Each structure stands twice: as C-alpha cells, then as structure tokens.
Amino acid sequence: MFNKEESAALRQEFWTSFGKSFPRKWLLYNTKIKGISFKFVANRKNAMICLDIEHSDEISNEILYDQILSLKTILIQDYLPEVIFDSSFELENGKIIRRIYINHTVKFSIYNKNTWRDCYEFYVKNMPKFERFFYEYEDVINCI
C-alpha cells in the first residue's frame, strides 16, 4: 500500500497527466449557478463524472435538484443514458449532497496506472455531453 505522501503524489500525477493528455477548459466550477458544480472524481475504487448540488441554503438545494430532475428524461434520452440521480449522496467526509453522476464501469483504481487511460477516455467522452446538456438547459436549471 502507499503512504500518505506517495498517495498524494500519485493522485497529483493522475490529474497532471490527464490535463496534459487532454488539454481543455472544462466547465467544472464555472457554472455561474451558485451551489452547482461539475466534478471529475477518481479514487482507489472508482471514477465518475458528477454534477453536484451543494448550495448553502437547503431550500435552494431542493429547488435546483428538482429542476434538473424535471429534465431527467431529456438527459437520459438525448445525452447520458446511464446517468444516476441521487438526492442523498454521502461524500467521504460524511456530508450529504445531491449528485447526478455517471460511473466509469471499467475496473479502475487511481493507484493502478494501467487503468488511467480508460478513465481519461471515459471523462473525455462523457463530460462534453454533460456540459452540452447543462448549457442547453441552464435557464431551466437556474430558476432561483
């Protein structure tokens, strides 16, 4: 197993390698909607692309999630058939958020460099679809 420093160095190498291999400006935190952000997730067991709803106001969280939920059929049919909606996703730190995400279904570990390329290709294939959906329906989502 890796010690803390080795683990941190490997995670940094993963993200640096991704950025160098696929240079692109991703939407991520620049959604211009408070409490909504896209994230790439990679850890020792899995990888995913997420649209997280973490507004400081719980009512706003509910409204934002409901607005995206109202577009669920469109998101599934036209963009990402495998998308998952989770109204109470628990983060590693125990915080509960609303998360809409796509899992990388191929075996992956950030600690196994042999799995990185498939993950990168998963990110590059699916994040643009998620971003297109967001840009297309941004006005519907941003109702607060």
Side-chain angles (χ1 to χ4, degrees):
M1 204 60 201
F2 299 96
N3 67 33
K4 194 174 185 177
E5 292 80 22
E6 292 169 329
S7 177
L10 201 54
R11 284 192 310 274
Q12 182 175 358
E13 183 182 346
F14 173 84
W15 293 113
T16 302
S17 176
F18 176 57
K20 287 180 180 177
S21 299
F22 300 95
R24 182 182 183 277
K25 177 87 168 127
W26 301 100
L27 180 58
L28 302 178
Y29 296 96
N30 299 319
T31 63
K32 298 184 176 102
I33 300 176
K34 183 179 178 186
I36 290 187
S37 60
F38 282 94
K39 294 179 183 161
F40 291 113
V41 174
N43 57 42
R44 65 183 183 88
K45 292 184 178 181
N46 66 349
M48 63 178 83
I49 298 169
C50 309
L51 178 60
D52 288 351
I53 302 169
E54 300 181 79
H55 198 285
S56 56
D57 176 60
E58 185 56 34
I59 293 171
S60 296
N61 275 332
E62 190 68 34
I63 292 169
L64 290 167
Y65 184 75
D66 286 347
Q67 287 304 108
I68 298 171
L69 195 59
S70 74
L71 300 166
K72 182 177 182 177
T73 301
I74 294 168
L75 180 56
I76 290 170
Q77 289 180 350
D78 297 344
Y79 298 91
L80 299 164
E82 62 282 349
V83 71
I84 299 165
F85 283 73
D86 192 336
S87 63
S88 58
F89 187 90
E90 185 172 356
L91 299 175
E92 289 180 7
N93 65 5
K95 182 178 180 182
I96 304 294
I97 65 167
R98 287 165 179 80
R99 176 172 274 181
I100 297 118
Y101 63 100
I102 312 145
N103 271 322
H104 177 49
T105 56
V106 176
K107 187 174 180 176
F108 171 80
S109 174
I110 199 164
Y111 300 120
N112 181 349
K113 289 183 180 184
N114 295 327
T115 66
W116 289 8
R117 187 71 181 176
D118 283 339
C119 180
Y120 295 161
E121 290 174 2
F122 162 75
Y123 287 160
V124 171
K125 176 185 172 195
N126 291 292
M127 182 59 101
K129 296 175 189 178
F130 222 161
E131 289 175 328
R132 278 194 302 277
F133 163 77
F134 181 82
Y135 284 129
E136 185 71 27
Y137 295 97
E138 183 177 2
D139 291 342
V140 175
I141 296 166
N142 190 18
C143 63
I144 57 172

